[in-house]
């Protein structure tokens, strides 16, 4: 019954153990009975959580604006995974279509952060959801890029969906929700971030995505866990090559050596993803058709626009200022970005 599955989700066990117990006992109700009888060993706080009624839990979720989504109600590309979560706690919404995961190290270089933000913006402007983990570094930069383009982004957390980790990314997380994206977690509200909770969430990031892009990563980092999950799910893995002696590029270079698709920039990424998800949605700008045609789904530098329009810089600058005031373009990080309608 869904009531039993909801109660079991609030126990907050490691996802692998939850799957193992469900396989062993056959149902969430029988696992709960095992917990109540002391046959299934859990900490006292988890045992107490298992005793709370489903109706009380639903009331808590409704108050917090959180939805409990059962496996069979998740998008098919997630629900069909062999290691799919039995239940996800969701704020906002998870898009029905497959997204693109952009992941990488928390200790990214300025180069990696710039690329991740460009990738997030380009993917969002192409109409594809951006999926990541809201962590410091590459994850946050990718989410920022998607939000800057008013695109859909999904943050998969290693804590409860009502907790922002790190706390410094609270505003970014709220922006994801305002833009129409979602925040998802296997862990119930109130769950604190703990080291063991993060590796399992990486398979959900991969599961929501048709492809995973690794921007910068160390060989033993969480980004490569996501990449391995993507391969296990039969999804494409892409990576940004880097200097062979740069620690944050070592993981990327290794997976490229082992078969990951190298990505050389935002345009290259959009082209590669187009082969997986189909052509991007065109960027529409209400006025300034020549600019709309030039900008495309990625965004262009001012110098690039001047060169390709063949007009004096002052005239181009005045036109850009007019279009920005009209809400038809946006200047973000030195890039001219069209507004997706």
């Amino acid at each position: 019954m869904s009531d039993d599955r909801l109660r079991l989700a609030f126990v907050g066990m490691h996802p692998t153990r939850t799957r193992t117990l469900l396989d062993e006992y056959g149902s969430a109700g029988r696992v709960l009975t095992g917990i109540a009888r002391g046959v299934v060993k859990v900490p006292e706080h988890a045992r107490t959580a298992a005793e709370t009624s489903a109706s009380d839990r639903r009331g808590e979720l409704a108050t917090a604006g959180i939805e409990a989504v059962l496996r069979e109600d998740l998008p098919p590309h997630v629900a069909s995974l062999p290691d799919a979560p039995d239940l996800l706690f969701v704020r906002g919404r998870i898009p029905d279509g497959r997204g693109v995961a952009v992941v990488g190290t928390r200790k990214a270089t300025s180069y990696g952060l710039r690329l991740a933000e460009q990738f997030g913006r380009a993917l969002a402007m192409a109409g594809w959801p951006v999926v990541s983990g809201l962590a410091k570094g590459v994850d946050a930069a990718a989410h920022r890029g998607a939000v800057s383009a008013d695109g859909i982004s999904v943050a998969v957390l290693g804590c409860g969906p009502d907790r922002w980790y790190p706390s410094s990314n609270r505003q970014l997380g709220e922006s994801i929700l305002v833009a129409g994206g979602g925040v998802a977690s296997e862990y119930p509200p109130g769950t604190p971030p703990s080291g063991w909770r993060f590796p399992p969430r990486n398979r959900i990031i991969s599961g929501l995505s048709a492809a995973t892009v690794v921007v910068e990563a160390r060989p033993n980092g969480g980004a490569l866990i996501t990449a391995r999950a993507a391969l296990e799910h039969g999804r494409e893995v892409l990576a940004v090559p880097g200097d062979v002696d740069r620690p944050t590029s070592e993981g990327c270079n290794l997976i490229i050596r082992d078969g990951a698709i190298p990505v050389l920039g935002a345009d290259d990424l959009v082209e590669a993803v187009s082969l997986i998800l189909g052509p991007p949605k065109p960027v529409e700008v209400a006025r300034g058709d020549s600019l709309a045609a030039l900008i495309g789904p990625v965004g262009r530098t001012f110098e690039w626009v001047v060169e390709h329009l063949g007009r004096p810089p002052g005239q181009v600058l005045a036109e850009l200022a007019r279009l920005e005031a009209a809400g038809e373009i946006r200047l973000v990080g030195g890039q001219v970005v069209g507004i997706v309608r």
Side-chain angles (χ1 to χ4, degrees):
M1 292 177 60
S2 60
D3 283 1
D4 291 336
R5 293 163 71 185
L6 178 61
R7 290 173 56 206
L8 182 61
F10 267 91
V11 174
M13 293 184 290
H14 191 287
T16 300
R17 190 180 186 208
T18 298
R19 287 198 303 275
T20 300
L21 289 171
L22 286 172
D23 289 342
E24 181 180 348
Y25 283 80
S27 72
R30 290 177 179 174
V31 176
L32 290 169
T33 299
I35 292 174
R37 293 177 177 175
V39 178
V40 176
K41 303 297 182 183
V42 296
E44 188 58 34
H45 69 85
R47 184 171 184 154
T48 301
E51 296 171 353
T52 303
S53 71
S55 60
D56 286 347
R57 292 304 193 192
R58 287 198 175 89
E60 295 171 15
L61 293 175
T63 300
I66 298 169
E67 182 182 5
V69 183
L70 294 171
R71 175 174 181 164
E72 56 267 27
D73 296 323
L74 291 170
H77 55 279
V78 182
S80 61
L81 297 174
D83 56 359
D86 188 59
L87 184 151
L88 277 183
F89 294 99
V90 178
R91 292 176 65 189
R93 73 178 187 89
I94 295 177
D96 294 330
R98 294 181 296 168
V100 179
V102 181
V103 297
T105 180
R106 289 173 170 81
K107 298 180 179 179
T109 65
S110 58
Y111 166 76
L113 295 175
R114 185 172 67 254
L115 272 183
E117 187 162 349
Q118 289 176 0
F119 286 1
R121 183 168 60 248
L123 293 167
M125 293 194 68
W128 300 314
V130 174
V131 186
S132 199
L134 200 66
K136 290 181 179 179
V138 167
D139 289 19
H143 286 304
R144 278 196 300 271
V147 168
S148 75
D150 294 326
I152 299 299
S153 187
V154 179
V156 184
L157 306 183
C159 56
D162 58 339
R163 303 281 294 265
W164 297 115
Y165 182 79
S167 59
S168 58
N169 282 342
R170 179 189 185 96
Q171 184 175 356
L172 176 58
E174 296 288 359
S175 297
I176 290 172
L177 296 174
V178 169
V183 173
S185 177
E186 267 182 294
Y187 309 113
T191 302
S194 300
W196 63 267
R197 301 187 196 278
F198 288 89
R201 67 88 188 258
N202 292 339
R203 81 191 196 287
I204 300 175
I205 294 175
S206 163
L208 288 167
S209 309
T212 292
V213 188
V214 185
V215 178
E216 283 187 321
R218 297 173 185 270
N220 56 351
L224 293 199
I225 295 177
T226 309
R228 285 194 291 271
L231 291 174
E232 291 171 2
H233 294 155
R235 313 286 166 85
E236 294 289 351
V237 176
L238 306 91
V240 177
D243 297 343
V244 295
D245 58 351
R246 180 186 295 173
T248 54
S249 292
E250 188 176 354
C252 292
N253 291 336
L254 286 174
I255 61 175
I256 289 172
R257 180 198 66 185
D258 294 338
I261 301 169
V263 176
L264 306 182
D267 286 316
D268 197 33
L269 174 60
V270 169
E271 183 178 350
V273 174
S274 296
L275 299 176
I276 303 167
L277 289 175
K281 298 176 182 178
V283 175
E284 296 180 6
V285 180
R287 286 175 288 184
D289 291 339
S290 57
L291 275 179
L294 282 174
I295 291 170
V298 176
R300 304 293 184 181
T301 65
F302 173 73
E303 292 78 9
W304 194 97
V305 174
V306 169
E307 179 182 351
H308 285 75
L309 279 179
R311 300 179 190 170
Q315 182 181 342
V316 173
L317 188 60
E319 176 68 5
L320 292 177
R322 182 184 69 78
L323 292 174
E324 185 179 29
E328 296 163 8
I329 67 165
R330 177 178 296 171
L331 304 180
V332 181
Q335 297 275 320
V336 181
V337 178
I339 303 300
V340 179
R341 302 297 185 191

